[in-house]
Amino acid sequence: MRVIDTLRLTAEELNAILTRGEASSREIFDAYRAAIEERDGELHCFLHVHDGEGEGIPIALKDVIGTMGVETTAGSRILAGYVPVYDSTVAARCKAGGLRLLGKTNTDEFAMGSSTENSAFGPSRNPWDPARVPGGSGGGSAAAVAAGMAPWALGSDTGGSIKQPSALCGNVGLRPTYGTVSRYGVVAFASSLDQVGPVTKTVRDNALLYSVIAGRDPADSTTVDVPATELPEAEDLNGLRIGVPVEMRDAPGIEPGVAAAVARAVALCEELGAEVDECSLPRSVEYGLPCYYLIAPAEASSNLARYDGVRYGYRADGDNLTQVYERTRDEGFGDEPKRRIMLGTYALSAGYYEAFYGKAQQVRTVIIREHAEVFERFDLIVSATSPTVAFEIGERADDPLAMYASDLLTIPSCIAGLPGLSIPCGLSDGLPVGLQLIGPQLSENTLFRAGHALERALDFDFVPERLQ
Ligand code: GLN
């Protein structure tokens, strides 16, 4: 038996070790369990650790992903104790693909946040610097992969919750094209935006995991047939036209160290054979955040209406049904879901619907068209994933608008339903910087190809220095 270095081994390498019979599934699983034992006390990535039987490569799932027989809380007290009686399609596909559940990872409550500090069960910490956030909402999945507590994981992304934590933890994260991955059995936040996707150490692992979960699902009518995933091999970018949206490059609030790492990656794109030119997404960048913060809370206010103390999880006592509803929701929801339920209910109310929700939907169409125009000239666009590296725990917790600004660069493409891949492109002050690659709908294979070539050339060491 060989030593299983959970910090370094990719899922692809683990699979080779298994195939060659150098270690058993049990030994591999136990190695990750031991890493969780050792590091999760500090980092708090897991809400539940699972010990089920089975063979195969271990995987961690964000706790918005419904798992039969395993508590699924979405980071909320209102779902505490909720044990789904069925698997989400993605969980079922992981099982069918020979993956074995390691545990459920921490998330901002109902995936609302950018730091995992909104989890009702306490924040996760960044393995590169535990005084800092791992990003969010999927900070638990990202930090678990970066700290060698899971070889790979699934997250969910509404406005950046896969891409941004992957950037802040030095991982590869894919938010797939809307409609390629089933939302059946996944706790809903904003249904027209939510998409599940892989968080991995390498682009090839990302492509492998995407191929396990993607594809039409009769249980989710928004899903489509997906082109076969191509495992990337090429180490050049020959023939690719890459756009740099100037409003993203020059956006206010981009840290100099982030801008510098991204500029180096853009220069590298040219060296690798891509044709690089500037492009423009003025309205998407200016109106993306306000548009998102109308649409997402509006849909959330409707989706969260189901938590009434009768059907799921937590129930407060009351003298009558109305009081049970009111107390359950008052005690069960934290501040951020409450804020969004109020905003969303207002935006949808008679008399305001056209002015807010209706207008935001019109802006969404403008953003979709603006991206479509850019993709007439370019195969991909690139920007920073997050304007900043990982920030300190507590730094933005009391300032919702500063927290919302974390998603300035991830949100526009989410609104347009487009796929985005974040890969690490360097360090700034010893913390990872993410590069975001966006393509047109169903361009995952192009994103993998470009991401893999860049990953090879960048040669980023994904093991946090303090854990080496
Ligand atoms: N940070 C964004 C929000 O708070 C995006 C979250 C997500 O993608 N789930 O809504």
Side-chain angles (χ1 to χ4, degrees):
M1 185 199 138
R2 59 182 269 172
V3 179
I4 297 158
D5 180 356
T6 66
L7 280 165
R8 283 219 177 266
L9 284 170
T10 65
E12 198 180 0
E13 289 162 346
L14 284 169
N15 194 40
I17 288 173
L18 262 180
T19 313
R20 292 195 298 260
E22 290 167 7
S24 67
S25 288
R26 181 80 246 173
E27 284 161 349
I28 291 174
F29 193 81
D30 287 347
Y32 285 92
R33 287 297 301 271
I36 294 171
E37 267 318 271
E38 184 186 330
R39 299 192 195 111
D40 206 42
E42 177 182 47
L43 300 175
H44 191 232
C45 298
F46 285 88
L47 294 179
H48 326 278
V49 180
H50 190 58
D51 208 7
E53 285 304 305
E55 298 282 308
I57 311 278
I59 187 165
L61 302 180
K62 184 178 180 184
D63 206 27
V64 297
I65 295 172
T67 40
M68 185 166 64
V70 180
E71 189 180 12
T72 300
T73 68
S76 181
R77 205 173 299 288
I78 211 162
L79 275 173
Y82 168 60
V83 179
V85 294
Y86 67 102
D87 266 325
S88 57
T89 297
V90 284
R93 287 192 178 174
C94 285
K95 274 186 193 165
L99 304 181
R100 181 166 172 188
L101 182 65
L102 259 175
K104 306 293 295 290
T105 54
N106 200 9
T107 166
D108 285 298
E109 190 173 354
F110 289 103
M112 297 171 176
S114 305
S115 68
T116 322
E117 291 166 292
N118 293 337
S119 167
F121 308 108
S124 298
R125 291 172 180 272
N126 193 313
W128 292 79
D129 176 357
R132 292 174 188 265
V133 305
S137 61
S141 281
V145 171
M149 296 192 287
W152 55 11
L154 290 182
S156 69
D157 191 299
T158 305
S161 281
I162 292 172
K163 296 183 283 183
Q164 183 258 17
S166 296
L168 271 42
C169 291
N171 302 322
V172 178
L174 172 74
R175 174 205 163 81
T177 305
Y178 183 81
T180 58
V181 180
S182 171
R183 288 177 292 108
Y184 178 70
V186 179
V187 177
F189 164 11
S191 306
S192 76
L193 294 156
D194 297 345
Q195 218 30 210
V196 169
V199 178
T200 59
K201 291 185 194 296
T202 64
V203 176
R204 281 174 67 93
D205 271 8
N206 210 284
L208 280 170
L209 188 48
Y210 176 68
S211 72
V212 171
I213 58 170
R216 186 191 290 274
D217 174 15
D220 177 353
S221 62
T222 59
T223 55
V224 295
D225 288 320
V226 172
T229 306
E230 294 157 15
L231 210 52
E233 308 265 2
E235 301 200 358
D236 61 66
L237 297 176
N238 291 340
L240 283 181
R241 299 163 304 167
I242 297 184
V244 178
V246 289
E247 299 82 6
M248 292 187 156
R249 183 192 59 199
D250 305 333
I254 302 218
E255 286 175 353
V258 170
V262 171
R264 282 195 300 275
V266 170
L268 193 58
C269 289
E270 257 181 321
E271 284 168 36
L272 292 173
E275 239 176 79
V276 180
D277 204 353
E278 291 181 351
C279 64
S280 183
L281 288 168
R283 286 164 296 186
S284 302
V285 177
E286 182 168 1
Y287 301 120
L289 273 177
C291 176
Y292 174 88
Y293 278 101
L294 284 167
I295 291 174
E299 294 183 14
S301 70
S302 165
N303 275 325
L304 269 50
R306 74 191 68 178
Y307 303 108
D308 55 8
V310 177
R311 285 173 288 188
Y312 304 91
Y314 179 77
R315 175 188 301 178
D317 284 335
D319 297 335
N320 54 54
L321 190 59
T322 306
Q323 216 173 58
V324 170
Y325 290 161
E326 286 173 355
R327 287 190 185 160
T328 297
R329 289 170 70 82
D330 183 32
E331 293 166 22
F333 286 129
D335 287 350
E336 191 61 28
K338 281 180 184 160
R339 176 157 37 237
R340 297 198 190 195
I341 290 168
M342 287 191 282
L343 281 171
T345 306
Y346 183 79
L348 290 177
S349 56
Y352 295 102
Y353 182 96
E354 279 311 320
F356 293 108
Y357 188 71
K359 188 56 83 180
Q361 291 290 31
Q362 289 173 330
V363 173
R364 184 172 197 170
T365 302
V366 169
I367 292 174
I368 291 169
R369 290 200 184 129
E370 200 170 70
H371 279 81
E373 269 169 42
V374 162
F375 288 120
E376 284 172 13
R377 279 179 56 216
F378 294 98
D379 300 302
L380 296 177
I381 56 176
V382 297
S383 73
T385 307
S386 159
T388 69
V389 292
F391 44 93
E392 283 181 14
I393 291 187
E395 196 180 311
R396 297 183 196 169
D398 298 327
D399 186 350
L401 292 182
M403 192 68 88
Y404 297 173
S406 312
D407 303 312
L408 176 72
L409 305 174
T410 50
I411 275 181
S413 56
C414 295
I415 293 177
L418 304 177
L421 183 74
S422 180
I423 63 167
C425 68
L427 296 176
S428 167
D429 290 332
L431 296 166
V433 175
L435 180 76
Q436 174 177 242
L437 293 84
I438 305 287
Q441 286 188 331
L442 301 177
S443 66
E444 276 78 2
N445 283 331
T446 313
L447 295 177
F448 293 141
R449 182 199 149 188
H452 173 73
L454 279 166
E455 176 182 77
R456 282 306 178 94
L458 286 159
D459 198 26
F460 178 82
D461 185 356
F462 52 68
V463 181
E465 270 157 32
R466 54 182 285 281
L467 297 179
Q468 292 195 2

